[in-house]
């Protein structure tokens, strides 16, 4: 019984601190004529997070390039390429990443530069803050999500205290 409760608590906590998936461009996706600098300035990326590119695979693709490739819209020295139309890319290093569309889109704004921060710069407050925000939001909407997980953790702690 106690073990089972402990397992649930661990699972709930793991859910709260799990990696974020940053959907490039939000609901506009990976398309021309979007300022991806504005988009990335609005996000904080940490090692272990994902970014996902969503686009028409017949029209665009995703190439990871270096700074020169980013600045000049060339694919020389490409470090990786994706073309499924729904690509999840794990940000596994703390560094600056550069992505462009390799089929023409780069000169129409399809270029993205992001700085990935080490986890040591992401103290527990980040998770706590985002969980609290989500919980406020979900309380406001009356929807589950993190809010209900927090409630679950609270309940579990309460139960544990009584075992
Ligand atoms: C995107 O927005 C940034 C910040 O306002 C600006 O500096 C940059 O020139 C814009 N890029 C394009 C391609 O419009
Ligand atoms: C930045 O984030 C806020 C809050 O999530 C959102 O309302 C806004 O549209 C975002 N701006 C851009 C340029 O993505
Ligand atoms: C894309 O990836 C494949 C396999 O990893 C590689 O053979 C090909 O050269 C890459 N293309 C570019 C433009 O980097």
């Amino acid at each position: 019984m106690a073990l089972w409760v402990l397992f649930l608590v661990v699972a709930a906590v793991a859910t709260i601190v799990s990696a974020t998936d940053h959907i490039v461009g939000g609901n506009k996706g990976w398309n021309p004529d979007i300022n991806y600098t504005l988009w990335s300035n609005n996000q904080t990326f940490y090692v272990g997070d994902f970014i996902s590119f969503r686009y028409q695979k017949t029209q665009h693709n995703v190439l990871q390039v270096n700074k020169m490739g980013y600045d000049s819209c060339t694919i020389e020295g490409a470090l990786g390429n994706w073309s499924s139309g729904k690509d999840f890319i794990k940000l596994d290093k703390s560094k600056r990443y550069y992505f462009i569309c390799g089929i023409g889109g780069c000169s129409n704004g399809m270029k993205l530069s992001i700085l990935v921060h080490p986890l040591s710069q992401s103290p527990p407050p980040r998770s706590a803050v985002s969980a609290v925000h989500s919980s406020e939001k979900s309380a406001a909407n009356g929807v589950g999500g993190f809010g209900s997980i927090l409630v679950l953790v609270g309940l579990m702690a309460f139960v544990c205290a009584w075992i």
Side-chain angles (χ1 to χ4, degrees):
M1 174 61 185
L3 268 184
W4 181 79
V5 170
L6 186 66
F7 172 77
L8 273 189
V9 171
V10 168
V13 169
T15 308
I16 290 173
V17 298
S18 67
T20 306
D21 176 30
H22 305 268
I23 301 169
V24 174
N27 56 15
K28 295 187 189 126
W30 182 230
N31 282 298
D33 303 320
I34 294 169
N35 189 328
Y36 288 103
T37 305
L38 286 181
W39 176 80
S40 62
N41 284 348
N42 213 11
Q43 315 268 322
T44 311
F45 304 92
Y46 292 98
V47 169
D49 284 358
F50 288 81
I51 54 170
S52 58
F53 290 85
R54 296 171 189 197
Y55 57 94
Q56 288 287 321
K57 63 178 176 183
T58 52
Q59 293 175 26
H60 306 299
N61 68 1
V62 179
L63 285 165
Q64 188 187 345
V65 295
N66 56 22
K67 183 171 192 311
M68 194 187 293
Y70 173 85
D71 287 339
S72 58
C73 282
T74 54
I75 67 170
E76 279 156 72
L79 305 166
N81 63 71
W82 295 264
S83 54
S84 77
K86 198 169 180 185
D87 307 320
F88 292 86
I89 300 172
K90 187 168 189 183
L91 305 168
D92 54 7
K93 291 200 179 73
S94 168
K95 64 168 190 176
R96 189 167 279 282
Y97 284 77
Y98 300 94
F99 299 96
I100 65 169
C101 169
I103 1 187
C106 183
S107 52
N108 291 318
M110 295 179 70
K111 58 198 295 189
L112 171 66
S113 154
I114 61 175
L115 182 62
V116 177
H117 298 280
L119 278 176
S120 54
Q121 283 181 18
S122 116
R126 174 175 83 124
S127 304
V129 166
S130 67
V132 166
H133 280 191
S134 304
S135 117
E136 278 165 3
K137 249 184 256 161
S138 52
N141 310 339
V143 201
F146 283 126
S148 54
I149 292 169
L150 283 183
V151 170
L152 186 68
V153 172
L155 278 178
M156 290 306 166
F158 186 75
V159 169
C160 283
W162 283 96
I163 290 175

